[in-house]
Structures are given as C-alpha cells and as structure tokens.
Amino acid sequence: MMDWVLPLICSLILRSGVGLYPYSGERDVPTYGDFEAQRHWMEVTRGKPISEWYTYDVDYWGIDYPPLSAFHAFVTSFLIEAVDPAAVALFESRGYEEEGSRAAMRASVILWDMMVLIPAVFWFLSKRSISDSKKLRTFYYLACAPALLLVDHGHFQYNGVSLGLFVAALSSVISGRDVLGSIFFTLSMNFKHMTLYFLPALACYCLGRSRTRGLRYLAHLTLTILGTTFLIWAFFDVKVVLSRIFPVNRGLFEDKVANVWCSINPAIKLRNIFGKSTLLKLSGACTLVAILPSCFMVWKYPRPEVLVRALSICSLACYLLAYQVHEKQILIPQVAIGMLSEEEPLLAAIFSIFACTSMFPLLKREGQAISYLALLIIHAVFVYTTTIPKQKGRSPGFAIALSGTLIFIALLHLVEVLGPTVPTLPDLYTVMWTTASCAAFCTILLVLYLRLFQAVPRS
Amino acid sequence: MDEREEEQEEEKELSNPFNSKIIVLLFSVSLKMLFIPAYRSTDFHVHRNWLALTSSFPLEQWYTEETSVWNLDYPPMFAYFEFGLGFIAKWVDDDMLILDSIPYVSGAAIVFQRLTVILFGDLAIFAAVQAHRASAYDLALLLLHPALLIIDNIHFQYNGFVIGTMLLALAWLPDRKTAPLGVALFAIAVNLKQTLLFAAPAVALFVLMSGPILQSAVSFSGVFLGIWLPFIKQTDVLIKRLFPFGRGLLHSYWAPNAWALIASLDIFASTLTGGRPSPSTRGLIGLAEPFVIMPNPSPLVSLCMTIVAMLPALFYLVRDGENQRTKLLVCRPSNQLSREMLHQFH
C-alpha cells in the first residue's frame, strides 16, 4: 500500500490554499452565487419542515439537486450553526458572509471530502494491483485534480461527496460486489444527478454481467436501486423535485460551456431555429448515438477495464452533447478519466488541463485566476515527474504532447491579455476558451474510442 | 530479467516526484501563490510603506522621514532593494507609492508584494542550494519549511531572500578563489538585514583561517562602505534605527531565548515573594527593566553575554576549520539564545 500520509497532507494543503481565494458570488449583492445557494439550503432545511424544502421561495436559490443534497445541507448546517448561529437563521441570514461562517463553510467542504471522497479513493486504490507510483498518480487525479479543487474549494460546491460515492461504487464493482456498487451509485445519483452521465455505461455493464449471472442478479440490482431510491424520495413530492432538478425550460445551454452546442452556436444558432422540445430530442439523439458504441462494448466485454473506458467515453460524450450542460459538469468525465490515468496517462494529463481552461472564464470572473495558474503549474510539475521517466528512451511523445498543450494554453492566455476588446463581441475570449476546450474534448473522445476498440478485444 | 530491472529502476524514479530541483522550485512557487490572499500582518504595510518612502523621498530623508510610524529600520541595502522594487511597483499600481500613515491596500499591490517575496526568496534559496551542490531534498526542506512559509508568505517578510543570499555567500567562502566574492556577498546580506550580524564573528574567523585575508578584507570593507557611503553623515541615525535598544530587552511577545527563561524565573520568584508584579507579561515594549527580582542586564551586558555564548562555537570552528555546516549550525543557536531584543522570527 502506498505511503498515504504525504499525499493526504498535500491534498489538505492544496484545498486550504484554494479556499483562500474568493468563492462564487462573493459580496455580489443581491444575488450572490453558489456559496450563498449552499448556505441558503442549510438555512431552509433547518428552518422549514421537509415538505416545504423544495417549495419554499424557489426563486431565491431554491434547491435544485436531488434529496440527498438536501439531507446533506441539513446535516452540515449543524456545523455552521455551531460556529455562527446567525449564518443559518431563517431569512435573516440571506447574504450572510462573516469571517467565521465563511471559514466554517470552507472547512465543511474539506471535512466532507475527508469523510467521503478520500476514503473512497483509498478504497479504490486498495483494489487496484498497480505500482505505488501509479497509485499516487491515480490518487492525485481522483482526489486533487485541479478542476475539482477549483470548483469545490474555490467556486464552492460539494461535488466531492457525489464523486466520492461514485468512486466507492466503482471500488465495489471492481471487487465484484455489484449490489453494493449499485447502492453507492444510487446514492451518488441522488446527491447530484449529473452522475447520471455514468448510468448508460454502468447499466450496460450490469446487463452484460447478467448474461453470465442470470436474471436473479438483475432482479437483485433492480430491487436494490429502487429500494434505495424509494428510501430517499419517500419524504418528497416526486413531481416537484423532478421539475426542480431537471429544468427543461432553461434551454439547450446556459452561459458559455465547452460543449458542441455552444461551440457551433456562433456559426449555427440552433436555439433560434428550433424549439426547446425539438432541441431536447436532438441533443438526446446525438448523445445516444455518441455513447452507443461504448455501451455496446461494455455490454459485450463486461470487465472493469472496459467499464472505466466506457464510463470515460459516456460521460465525456454526455458533457459534449447533452441538454442543459453546465461547465462544472466537466468534473464527471474528470473522475472517470482519472481512473483511466493508469492506462492512459497522457490523455488524463491533457484532459485535466483542458478541464480547467474550459472553466477559465468563470474562474477569472470570480478572481481565481491565480489559483488556476498555481494549480496548473503543480499539475504540470506532478504529471511530468510521475510520467516522463517512463518514456525516456522509448519516445519523447509524452513530453512533446504535454509541453505542446501548455504552450498552446499559454498562447491563448497571451491572446486574451494582449488582444483587442471588440465592443460588438463582448464574449469573444470566453468563446475562444470554450471552443478551444471543446475541440480538445472532441479529440480526446475520438482517441478514447480508438483506444477502446484497440485495447478491448485483445484480452 | 532486464525489463524487470528496468521497470524497477523506473519505479524508483517515479515513486519520488521530488527528485529534481526545478520541480521542487516550481512546486514551492505555485504553493506559495495559493497563499497570496492569506492573512497579512502589519509587516505588509511596513514594506509597502518602504516602497513608498524610497520612491518618493530623496536618499537623505530615508532614515529621517517620520510621517508613518513604520519607519525604515533595516540597513541601506534593503532600502536600495525596495527602491528597485519601487520602479516595478509604479507600473503595477501608482497609488501604492503614496506615503501615508493610513494603510493602503489594493488587489494589485497585494499580488505584487507577495510575488516579490515568493520570487526573490525562492530564487535566492535555489541559487544557494545550487552553489552548495545540495540535493533537491535539501531544497525542499528550505523552501517548504513551515516557519518560513508562515513568516514570509503569510505574515509577510523577506527572510527567504535574506537567508538565501547569506547561504549563497557561505557557499563561496571555502574556496580561496571565490572567498572574496563570498565575503562581498556576505556584506550585502548583512546590509539586507542586520540580524545576520550574528554570523559575522564566525565568518570573520573562517576567512582569517582559510581565505585570502587581504582580498577578503578589501572586498568586505569596499562593499560595506559602498553601501553606506550615501549615509555617511547619518551613521548615528542609522545605528539608532537598526539597533533599537530603546525597545527593551524583551519584545511584547517574547522570543524563546535565554531572557525568556530568566523572565519566567523572575515572574515565578516575584509571585513567591509577593513583591510588585512583573511588567514583562503585559505586552509592553520599551521596558528597560522588565525584571523585578533578577538583575536587569544593560545592552552592553547582553552583548557581552552573546559573544561569550558564541565563543565555544568559534573555538570549535578554529579547531575543525573546514566543515562549514558545523560553523553555521553551532553559531546560530548560541547567538539566538542570548541576543538582545530578539523577535520570535529569528
């Protein structure tokens, strides 16, 4: 088992460092941002009965994640209240941003990471029979990926819980305990429904397994999933919650996100041509087409290695082509590709970089440009030292590809800093970032597919 | 078997990410960048003030200017350093350079000042480690030292820069050819922060024993005089600023040195005998006589005691001579224990 002390301490230090930077909506009266949203949920879940959690004043940061997030907010509120009761007082605490409560909120993200994500990652690593250095690298991608740190500990979200539950699900599945895995995955989906991106691949994996394990296995799984879901949703009005977590009315995409629909928008304004329901069907169809081959492969070869590849492809394809995708959802493919890092180190390295650049406009707006830069330097440094020696003598491909990516990114930054501001195109550089990142993601998706077909039938 | 061995070799290299000094340096710089928004103490404003002071006033007034309470109490080389930084500061944020008793802070100023600490500190230490031909591990120990991180990158000081310069100077001392250069750099280091004077006896002794005495003496005095030349008429003002004996034996927060031990004994004794309460814990500055029961040392006495404490170390230096590390290691603790007016930083 690898030496876990230093990596753990480093992950703590990096989290604390990123947490020093501003969070989303800091001092941005009257709307604020995700930090205020999370705080508000703690306030609502403590102050209101469970029947009103999803209906109380939904216009001011109403809960738009599944019920487990609501329970999570309820539990976390006790910690915040212990530090500063005024921070979760019903209604009066809106926009509450005192030193103590802010530190407590930041600390709560770290605490949840320590309780859910980190143990799950260690559990996952214990199931992998790979070298210590590869384990260190995988630990880094799963627990300290720059994009994850910037979103969870910078922007402020609790993705670590949902992603940690997903890692736990994978750990169970790898060790053959599919039922346990399905429980964890259901929990993960019920914390943040964006992990639905993983569902097709996982479902096909289980279907593939059922070919040898029989229908009883499938029945087991279905019952477990339904049972777990029922336990969580029992207290709520399903229709209300569904309408909150799947806001179909918000359109094909919101703001600028590094996926296909937003990138082709400057050329083809799809939103002006088609109606919302048509676009929903269109994006659904495209996503389905994109993920089908990988789902088929994992159904045909239901092995963990294939599963991880399929998960990476599915999640990335969903990010690129689904409806109402947010830039922070890049964390979903990040986790899957992080698991894949032991077999595809270069892909993981480059993907992680573009995951950050795809969010750069958002990060810059929030004042996290320096933490973004610092984490990217640490990323480049870490990736070089844990991968480069392997390529020595064989091929300098890795070094060239990584340096090339970094230089390309640096050039884009230069363009943004030195380039002209065009009044008629206020989002010029934002679009530059999202389009470049989208192009990179599409390339990575294709490479992932190629590698899937290359690697799988062999064994 | 060959492939196996090859893989094991690669394993050894891979499992330790910190086997390259450049990597350690980059990691240190980026980690410290993450601390940019952290808590800043008044020392941040002190240094911003010095930027303003050196940029807005002529040389003659640098040590006599009294607009702000944070007046210049580092030697001239540091003043020149701040003056140099001032040129870049002007380009970053003009308003930084307005001398005012009210602390000025802007995002750009914070980032700029923090970055100067990071870059100058890390690069100086890196240069020193290169000169000593030390390993990446040594570099990591120095750059990522918790105390240095807290004091330089959070509280805000330039110790990394100063210590790095001195360490670099020490690297050049053993070799007769580079010794005068080392001594010159030591002169610069001491003129960056006067607290480095503790090393002066040891360095002097070392050079007397091994180095080219004449060249070293010339280079040292030359550099020293060159730095002090513009202030030749104000030496008394400077000495008073650099060695503020008026601040008393103990600072408001005690440094963990010998006087702290005596102060504790003093408090204990005064509580036992029921005499007047000891003023040393009240957080006051400027107490010339903090002790109630124990005898109060004058600055001269404290200085003598410091030199006496250093003598054993110097004796070993003369006897063993060549080993530089011994010299530094031994001198520093003995000196810190007995120096007057010691801050916790040292």
Side-chain angles (χ1 to χ4, degrees):
Chain A
M1 183 53 189
M2 69 179 213
D3 176 22
W4 54 270
V5 177
L6 197 57
L8 184 64
I9 293 179
C10 280
S11 61
L12 273 172
I13 294 177
L14 288 177
R15 281 166 162 75
S16 318
V18 177
L20 287 171
Y21 280 81
Y23 48 75
S24 145
E26 183 161 335
R27 287 192 211 101
D28 190 10
V29 190
T31 33
Y32 304 98
D34 269 347
F35 179 91
E36 169 64 12
Q38 297 286 348
R39 190 214 54 75
H40 179 69
W41 296 354
M42 295 182 205
E43 167 203 333
V44 167
T45 53
R46 282 296 292 283
K48 286 281 164 190
I50 210 168
S51 52
E52 285 184 58
W53 282 6
Y54 280 88
T55 50
Y56 171 74
D57 200 0
V58 286
D59 286 325
Y60 186 81
W61 297 113
I63 304 181
D64 54 2
Y65 289 147
L68 211 54
S69 269
F71 289 129
H72 164 269
F74 180 77
V75 169
T76 317
S77 68
F78 286 101
L79 170 66
I80 310 301
E81 191 188 39
V83 171
D84 189 351
V88 289
L90 189 61
F91 199 78
E92 284 103 50
S93 60
R94 294 202 177 182
Y96 195 84
E97 287 181 312
E98 297 300 309
E99 276 294 329
S101 71
R102 290 172 53 179
M105 295 278 281
R106 285 276 192 224
S108 71
V109 188
I110 297 181
L111 274 169
W112 277 107
D113 270 5
M114 294 296 128
M115 289 194 291
V116 181
L117 179 62
I118 304 286
V121 173
F122 281 135
W123 184 26
F124 178 80
L125 291 176
S126 71
K127 297 282 166 220
R128 308 295 303 136
S129 47
I130 51 180
S131 66
D132 274 358
S133 60
K134 281 192 185 167
K135 281 192 186 173
L136 181 65
R137 204 167 54 198
T138 309
F139 174 86
Y140 166 77
Y141 279 114
L142 293 178
C144 297
L148 177 67
L149 260 49
L150 287 168
V151 172
D152 268 22
H153 301 273
H155 182 91
F156 202 92
Q157 285 203 334
Y158 287 96
N159 296 300
V161 179
S162 169
L163 297 175
L165 287 167
F166 169 73
V167 171
L170 256 278
S171 312
S172 322
V173 165
I174 289 176
S175 28
R177 296 155 75 175
D178 294 0
V179 175
L180 184 62
S182 66
I183 295 180
F184 277 123
F185 186 68
T186 314
L187 290 174
S188 170
M189 276 197 298
N190 278 300
F191 189 90
K192 261 191 147 162
H193 51 296
M194 60 184 191
T195 38
L196 272 171
Y197 287 0
F198 289 134
L199 188 59
L202 267 172
C204 289
Y205 174 83
C206 294
L207 282 171
R209 294 262 282 176
S210 72
R211 286 187 294 149
T212 47
R213 316 279 288 279
L215 277 176
R216 245 187 44 176
Y217 161 83
L218 265 184
H220 244 140
L221 278 179
T222 322
L223 280 171
T224 317
I225 295 172
L226 287 175
T228 320
T229 314
F230 177 75
L231 278 174
I232 299 172
W233 287 68
F235 307 90
F236 304 95
D237 181 341
V238 176
K239 274 214 197 67
V240 171
V241 178
L242 280 178
S243 69
R244 289 293 310 158
I245 69 180
F246 292 113
V248 186
N249 281 320
R250 276 158 81 173
L252 183 61
F253 62 86
E254 220 171 70
D255 219 347
K256 302 279 178 287
V257 60
N259 76 354
V260 170
W261 307 125
C262 180
S263 300
I264 65 176
N265 198 56
I268 314 169
K269 301 221 182 302
L270 281 171
R271 289 185 296 188
N272 298 350
I273 305 173
F274 301 110
K276 285 201 184 118
S277 60
T278 324
L279 287 173
L280 182 59
K281 291 187 197 120
L282 173 68
S283 60
C286 290
T287 315
L288 206 61
V289 165
I291 66 176
L292 226 47
S294 66
C295 290
F296 172 75
M297 288 299 271
V298 79
W299 172 81
K300 185 142 184 258
Y301 306 98
R303 299 193 299 269
E305 317 82 68
V306 185
L307 176 60
V308 175
R309 287 189 188 273
L311 285 167
S312 310
I313 292 172
C314 266
S315 50
L316 189 52
C318 285
Y319 175 85
L320 286 170
L321 294 163
Y323 194 83
Q324 247 309 292
V325 173
H326 291 262
E327 67 261 279
K328 295 187 270 335
Q329 283 162 1
I330 196 64
L331 290 178
I332 309 292
Q334 171 77 68
V335 171
I337 293 180
M339 287 181 184
L340 197 54
S341 67
E342 52 186 82
E343 309 223 3
E344 308 280 358
L346 178 60
L347 225 54
I350 295 184
F351 176 84
S352 307
I353 295 175
F354 280 107
C356 295
T357 60
S358 70
M359 295 191 295
F360 181 70
L362 173 70
L363 297 171
K364 184 166 155 230
R365 240 188 356 245
E366 296 175 342
Q368 289 196 68
I370 298 179
S371 50
Y372 155 89
L373 176 63
L375 286 183
L376 272 189
I377 296 176
I378 292 178
H379 174 76
V381 157
F382 183 83
V383 157
Y384 261 116
T385 54
T386 53
T387 323
I388 288 292
K390 218 175 165 70
Q391 305 296 317
K392 228 190 283 186
R394 290 193 199 156
S395 82
F398 187 94
I400 293 176
L402 192 59
S403 326
T405 312
L406 291 169
I407 293 173
F408 175 64
I409 307 270
L411 282 172
L412 286 180
H413 277 293
L414 261 172
V415 165
E416 183 176 10
V417 166
L418 300 173
T421 10
V422 183
T424 46
L425 299 168
D427 291 322
L428 179 63
Y429 297 111
T430 309
V431 171
M432 173 186 84
W433 284 113
T434 54
T435 317
S437 309
C438 181
F441 292 147
C442 291
T443 318
I444 291 175
L445 184 63
L446 285 170
V447 174
L448 280 172
Y449 255 122
L450 277 169
R451 297 284 299 147
L452 175 69
F453 289 116
Q454 227 179 11
V456 166
R458 216 172 282 147
S459 32
Chain B
M1 267 303 119
D2 245 288
E3 237 209 79
R4 248 298 190 81
E5 278 170 16
E6 209 187 302
E7 252 199 67
Q8 279 176 356
E9 262 297 303
E10 284 175 356
E11 265 310 299
K12 279 206 205 92
E13 266 192 79
L14 285 176
S15 56
N16 179 12
F18 287 105
N19 51 20
S20 149
K21 280 180 254 184
I22 301 274
I23 300 287
V24 172
L25 178 66
L26 283 172
F27 177 75
S28 163
V29 168
S30 26
L31 183 69
K32 292 173 186 181
M33 279 167 69
L34 286 179
F35 292 150
I36 287 179
Y39 160 82
R40 301 170 292 278
S41 73
T42 49
D43 269 349
F44 176 85
H45 298 291
V46 169
H47 285 274
R48 186 210 63 82
N49 208 52
W50 294 353
L51 278 173
L53 177 69
T54 53
S55 309
S56 325
F57 287 82
L59 216 75
E60 305 84 55
Q61 293 180 18
W62 284 2
Y63 285 92
T64 53
E65 232 294 321
E66 301 262 330
T67 310
S68 158
V69 73
W70 300 313
N71 44 36
L72 198 52
D73 57 0
Y74 275 22
M77 193 67 221
F78 200 85
Y80 300 143
F81 172 67
E82 295 273 20
F83 177 68
L85 284 181
F87 285 106
I88 314 175
K90 205 170 291 195
W91 175 72
V92 167
D93 180 1
D94 238 344
D95 293 331
M96 259 200 304
L97 300 177
I98 299 174
L99 192 66
D100 209 339
S101 49
I102 304 167
Y104 170 85
V105 65
S106 77
I110 296 171
V111 172
F112 168 71
Q113 289 203 243
R114 288 273 198 219
L115 279 178
T116 56
V117 172
I118 296 172
L119 289 172
F120 281 97
D122 280 15
L123 286 174
I125 293 180
F126 182 77
V129 167
Q130 286 290 83
H132 279 271
R133 293 204 190 89
S135 69
Y137 186 65
D138 296 323
L139 180 64
L141 279 179
L142 282 171
L143 283 179
L144 302 172
H145 193 292
L148 194 68
L149 265 171
I150 293 179
I151 293 190
D152 266 22
N153 302 99
I154 297 182
H155 184 95
F156 202 91
Q157 281 207 342
Y158 283 88
N159 294 301
F161 175 50
V162 167
I163 292 176
T165 312
M166 186 179 80
L167 287 176
L168 183 59
L170 291 179
W172 289 336
L173 287 183
D175 186 352
R176 279 188 67 100
K177 274 178 270 162
T178 55
L181 196 60
V183 165
L185 196 61
F186 181 72
I188 292 179
V190 163
N191 277 298
L192 278 173
K193 204 165 184 179
Q194 65 274 37
T195 55
L196 295 183
L197 272 175
F198 77 84
V203 169
L205 212 55
F206 187 84
V207 172
L208 280 171
M209 289 187 327
S210 69
I213 300 177
L214 190 61
Q215 287 104 305
S216 308
V218 166
S219 81
F220 183 85
S221 11
V223 170
F224 208 106
L225 266 168
I227 294 175
W228 280 67
L229 199 59
F231 301 98
I232 225 78
K233 297 202 193 79
Q234 300 179 327
T235 38
D236 53 333
V237 177
L238 259 76
I239 299 284
K240 244 204 287 187
R241 282 283 184 90
L242 297 180
F243 302 103
F245 289 108
R247 287 222 215 141
L249 183 64
L250 306 166
H251 196 48
S252 50
Y253 292 110
W254 302 352
N257 63 3
W259 300 123
L261 279 177
I262 302 203
S264 310
L265 261 173
D266 182 68
I267 292 175
F268 185 57
S270 77
T271 323
L272 272 182
T273 60
R276 70 177 172 102
S278 165
S280 49
T281 49
R282 282 216 220 114
L284 301 170
I285 308 178
L287 283 174
E289 305 196 344
F291 301 150
V292 177
I293 308 281
M294 313 289 290
N296 282 297
S298 72
L300 188 59
V301 169
S302 151
L303 181 64
C304 290
M305 292 180 72
T306 308
I307 296 179
V308 164
M310 278 203 272
L311 286 179
L314 295 176
F315 171 72
Y316 278 109
L317 177 65
V318 174
R319 218 181 57 161
D320 295 333
E322 305 310 295
N323 192 343
Q324 240 193 97
R325 294 234 171 103
T326 325
K327 160 176 74 166
L328 194 61
L329 276 170
V330 175
C331 236
R332 201 177 173 107
S334 68
N335 193 273
Q336 288 183 246
L337 279 176
S338 48
R339 268 213 353 261
E340 160 97 1
M341 190 55 215
L342 201 60
H343 282 255
Q344 316 84 300
F345 310 144
H346 310 143

